[in-house]
Amino acid sequence: MATWLQSKWRYLFMFLGVQLVVMALLSREGYHKRVSYFIRIFRKLDTTASGTSGASSPHASNHTGGDVYANLSLLAKAHGRGEDMPYCPKTSPLIGGPIHVYFPSGLTLAQVARKNPLVVRGGRYRPPDCEARHRTAIIIPHRNREHHLKFLLYYLHPFLQRQQLNYGIYVIHQAGNYTFNRAKLMNVGFREAMREEDWDCLFFHDVDLIPEDDRNTYMCDTNPKHTAIAMDKFGYKLPYKMYFGGVSALSPLHYLKMNGFPNNYWGWGGEDDDIGVRVSLGGMFISRPSVKVGRYKMIKHKLDKGNDVNPRRFNMLAKTRQTWKLDGMNTVEYEVLSRDYFPLYTNITVHIGTEAGLHATAPSPKIPAKVPAKPPVEAPAKPLAKLRQKQQNH
């Protein structure tokens, strides 16, 4: 009898012990869940607070990231660039990954210039302590978007410096009040940038898109490159497979193969898809960074005056296969009205005409009287001739 009671109590104590262990484990798991829950809440509150402080817009980013100017304090002006300057590393040690994007209140271009002391006249930059491996021109089609331009320059200059690029920024400003033509301005930008230097990569950049990760390198790939794969306006997803809008990159040889961009898309819409089709027709593919890296924040705004939706865009797209060799870099006409080398960028103001042609009488764009009109600009012979020779050799 005594032995039976001892056995019974032994099993009872073992059962109670197992229960206590289970309860302790459950309690610990619940504790971690509650702690994690409150940590997430405080992180959200902290991110929201930091995103709104110092921001002039309700569109300030709450995407976690570092200060885009953080690593640039390590740079110093070179005392003279010798011929034996070493090449920069293949991967820049200044790259930091995600960037915290917000829009500082009262920002001026003079403030941006002071934060970028190594940028020289015309928005040009070379690394002070090594020879850049890549030469990149940034082409920005523009009209009446100065407010957006200063924010883009605020982020773009340090973004490019962290990648140790030899770069220049060109703002191609459409004169007059006639309907905006983004793709034609990009054709102009290509010609005018190549007239100044033999760039090995050209980035065509909307003025209202801010990159959010400096691992998204502004260098060309083997194929045409579309970097704005994940914009906040599309929920940080690619809207459709052939989308080529926002920010894209071409080498000069890519540009020649696809005959540049179309000149006949007046108004909003259609030209990006036409360009995407040209990439395919030129025997190339679209390359992209990962969705995690190719992130951009759009500065929200209303549709611009003079940039109404193009009602003919779908009919024009349907004919791209027949028109791409007849309309592009080989047919673009324009007049350069002025070329100004500002501290942060080169501004090229151009007259690009209307749908009726460069010198159509009606409707006529308003051209400043003090600037004499110049003859239509022909393609710069030296760089394009070199490019055509390269294409023949390939």
Side-chain angles (χ1 to χ4, degrees), residues 183 186-187 190 204 250 252-263 271 274-276 278-279 284 324-325 327-330 332:
M186 294 195 300
N187 275 331
F190 174 85
F204 301 90
L250 299 172
L253 287 176
H254 295 156
Y255 183 85
L256 285 177
K257 283 183 178 181
M258 55 194 282
N259 193 24
F261 308 122
N263 297 302
E271 79 282 356
D274 187 296
I275 296 168
R278 286 170 180 250
V279 170
M284 299 174 288
W324 72 287
K325 289 186 177 181
D327 172 42
M329 61 156 284
N330 58 345
V332 61

Side-chain angles (χ1 to χ4, degrees), residues 275-341:
I275 296 168
V277 173
R278 286 170 180 250
V279 170
S280 178
L281 294 173
M284 299 174 288
F285 302 93
I286 298 174
S287 71
R288 292 187 173 99
S290 70
V291 173
K292 183 179 179 181
V293 168
R295 293 171 61 100
Y296 286 80
K297 184 161 199 60
M298 175 175 281
I299 307 172
K300 294 183 180 179
H301 59 92
K302 296 179 181 178
L303 197 64
D304 304 316
K305 287 186 177 181
N307 193 27
D308 296 331
V309 174
N310 181 357
R312 300 175 52 235
R313 63 190 186 281
F314 296 116
N315 290 335
M316 296 166 67
L317 275 172
K319 301 176 183 177
T320 300
R321 289 182 177 275
Q322 289 77 43
T323 61
W324 72 287
K325 289 186 177 181
L326 305 174
D327 172 42
M329 61 156 284
N330 58 345
T331 58
V332 61
E333 289 185 306
Y334 61 95
E335 295 172 346
V336 174
L337 303 182
S338 64
R339 185 188 302 265
D340 300 297
Y341 296 96

Side-chain angles (χ1 to χ4, degrees), residues 25 57 66 96 101 116-117 140 147 161 168 179 196 222 235 245 252 257 270 278 290 294 300 308 348 357 375 393:
L25 291 173
S57 166
V101 175
N116 293 275
I140 305 172
H147 179 67
Q161 290 170 45
T179 307
E196 291 196 344
T222 305
K257 283 183 178 181
R278 286 170 180 250
S290 70
K300 294 183 180 179
D308 296 331
I348 302 175
N393 294 337

Side-chain angles (χ1 to χ4, degrees), residues 2 38 61 91-92 105-106 109 150 157 182 198 220 224 231 255 263 291 307 315 342 344 358 366 369 382:
F38 283 108
S61 174
T91 301
S92 170
S105 178
L109 287 177
K150 66 182 180 182
H157 274 295
R182 175 177 173 269
D198 190 15
C220 279
M231 289 189 255
Y255 183 85
N263 297 302
V291 173
N307 193 27
N315 290 335
F342 294 123
L344 294 170
L358 187 62
K366 296 179 181 179
K382 183 178 177 181

Side-chain angles (χ1 to χ4, degrees), residues 117-224:
L118 301 184
V119 175
V120 300
R121 177 176 176 266
R124 302 290 288 272
Y125 173 86
R126 292 192 298 173
D129 53 357
C130 59
E131 192 68 37
R133 292 177 178 271
H134 303 275
R135 300 186 307 277
T136 298
I138 311 295
I139 311 297
I140 305 172
H142 178 270
R143 184 170 66 181
N144 302 328
R145 299 284 287 276
E146 286 75 13
H147 179 67
H148 296 162
L149 180 61
K150 66 182 180 182
F151 287 122
L152 177 60
L153 295 173
Y154 176 83
Y155 285 101
L156 199 54
H157 274 295
F159 175 90
L160 297 170
Q161 290 170 45
R162 285 165 72 147
Q163 297 181 10
Q164 294 184 314
L165 300 175
N166 176 351
Y167 72 82
I169 296 180
Y170 297 85
V171 174
I172 313 301
H173 180 79
Q174 180 176 334
N177 298 320
Y178 194 69
T179 307
F180 194 66
N181 191 324
R182 175 177 173 269
K184 190 170 185 178
L185 291 174
M186 294 195 300
N187 275 331
V188 174
F190 174 85
R191 285 195 176 188
E192 294 303 315
M194 294 299 295
R195 182 183 294 275
E196 291 196 344
E197 185 164 331
D198 190 15
W199 301 103
D200 54 37
C201 186
L202 297 99
F203 265 74
F204 301 90
H205 209 297
D206 281 0
V207 72
D208 55 4
L209 287 178
I210 311 297
E212 296 186 70
D213 196 311
D214 63 4
R215 292 172 296 179
N216 187 5
T217 53
Y218 276 32
M219 310 163 190
C220 279
D221 288 345
T222 305
N223 284 290

Side-chain angles (χ1 to χ4, degrees), residues 89-108:
K90 290 184 178 180
T91 301
S92 170
L94 302 177
I95 288 177
I99 295 167
H100 176 57
V101 175
Y102 71 103
F103 304 114
S105 178
L107 182 68
T108 65

Side-chain angles (χ1 to χ4, degrees), residues 242-256:
M242 289 303 294
Y243 182 66
F244 203 67
V247 184
S248 56
L250 299 172
S251 72
L253 287 176
H254 295 156
Y255 183 85
L256 285 177

